[in-house]
Amino acid sequence: MRLRNIPGADEAVLNSPYCVNEPQSYCGKWQVLFPTKGPLYIEIGMGKGRFIMDSAAAYPQINFVGIERYSSVLLRALQKMKELPLPNLKFICMDAAEIDTVFSIHEVSKIFLNFSDPWPKDRHAGRRLTSRRFLALYDRILSLDGCIEFKTDNQELFSFSLEELKETGWSIDLCTRDLHKDIVLNEGNIMTEYEEKFSSIGNPICKLTASRSF
Ligand code: SAM
């Protein structure tokens, strides 16, 4: 998702009280940004923020950080936050490739990856947010009992992600290729913008959760 050149998007992000503009300076200290201490959950590639905002509203005891690369996309979430501020939610505008400079070792309890860009060409596989390159970063910042939750409608990306996780020693704790038809796994599911869009045209939604195998 990329909304190009929205005038003022960079300034809006820079001046927003909901965005953390020097995130590296909070490495290891994210709890100081929230009124209450709690587990830290992050979504990488949050887009316009529907999922993370609904999650933060549903779980006020958890602190959330949404990460999005493009200010033009993040802008939409900032506009929604103005209408409904959530004290347990902050945003960062950055490329997740540097995420290990922003969160310290084991600082994060859960990582959500929702409808990540598929990067279909083989030569771009390393850009996929579920590639081993990114899994190594998640391994550093995720608490030892933490987990990754990944949803997509892209069957190839899902298969690739399962392979990468298995080959790099993660355990797959939950796996379905039709989340919405699974009454148990779908209970409490919080929809993302892309999930709504793709499930409405009949695409089954895949979901996995993965943790470290010790
Ligand atoms: N998660 C949302 C959803 O499910 O509706 C948006 C999905 S959209 C297809 C993927 C989003 O991830 C885009 O907004 C894109 O800019 C962002 N993204 C992709 N790679 C990223 C990266 N390396 N760092 C931060 N954001 C990234």
Side-chain angles (χ1 to χ4, degrees):
M1 184 193 305
R2 185 164 185 191
L3 309 177
R4 281 172 208 278
N5 300 331
I6 295 189
D10 288 346
E11 289 77 9
V13 165
L14 262 178
N15 296 322
S16 170
Y18 312 120
C19 288
V20 180
N21 288 311
E22 287 180 4
Q24 284 87 354
S25 59
Y26 292 97
C27 187
K29 303 178 259 196
W30 278 87
Q31 296 297 337
V32 304
L33 289 170
F34 300 100
T36 320
K37 272 192 175 182
L40 193 62
Y41 288 10
I42 68 173
E43 184 187 9
I44 302 176
M46 54 165 270
K48 296 177 193 165
R50 171 177 165 177
F51 172 85
I52 200 156
M53 293 184 76
D54 287 351
S55 299
Y59 298 101
Q61 73 283 14
I62 291 167
N63 293 325
F64 290 86
V65 177
I67 296 162
E68 169 54 50
R69 185 164 36 179
Y70 296 118
S71 60
S72 52
V73 179
L74 185 52
L75 188 61
R76 304 300 169 97
L78 300 185
Q79 289 160 348
K80 286 188 258 172
M81 272 285 263
K82 255 192 204 161
E83 289 157 25
L84 179 76
L86 293 158
N88 59 329
L89 174 59
K90 295 285 178 198
F91 301 121
I92 312 173
C93 193
M94 68 174 285
D95 185 333
E98 290 171 21
I99 199 152
D100 59 331
T101 66
V102 164
F103 299 102
S104 68
I105 291 179
H106 307 327
E107 189 171 17
V108 173
S109 297
K110 198 180 272 199
I111 299 174
F112 294 102
L113 303 170
N114 291 317
F115 296 80
S116 307
D117 294 335
W119 292 105
K121 291 182 181 153
D122 284 348
R123 70 173 188 276
H124 293 149
R127 297 184 192 175
R128 296 174 194 151
L129 292 179
T130 50
S131 66
R132 61 192 64 199
R133 171 182 164 224
F134 280 96
L135 293 179
L137 302 179
Y138 309 154
D139 185 43
R140 280 179 62 81
I141 64 170
L142 206 51
S143 60
L144 295 177
D145 59 352
C147 72
I148 298 172
E149 284 199 24
F150 173 54
K151 290 195 280 189
T152 183
D153 68 318
N154 187 308
Q155 297 289 335
E156 293 78 22
L157 179 64
F158 195 67
S159 299
F160 167 86
S161 307
L162 283 169
E163 279 304 304
E164 290 289 275
L165 285 159
K166 284 177 193 159
E167 282 181 27
T168 50
W170 294 71
S171 304
I172 308 299
D173 304 320
L174 172 163
C175 180
T176 174
R177 285 192 186 252
D178 202 348
L179 176 64
H180 296 177
K181 289 226 174 86
D182 187 317
I183 297 165
V184 176
L185 296 185
N186 198 42
E187 201 186 324
N189 181 49
I190 294 181
M191 296 269 272
T192 84
E193 269 131 8
Y194 273 62
E195 185 171 354
E196 174 94 58
K197 184 168 136 187
F198 290 123
S199 60
S200 73
I201 57 166
N203 294 7
I205 304 303
C206 307
K207 178 178 178 179
L208 65 80
T209 67
S211 60
R212 267 44 143 275
S213 28
F214 293 108

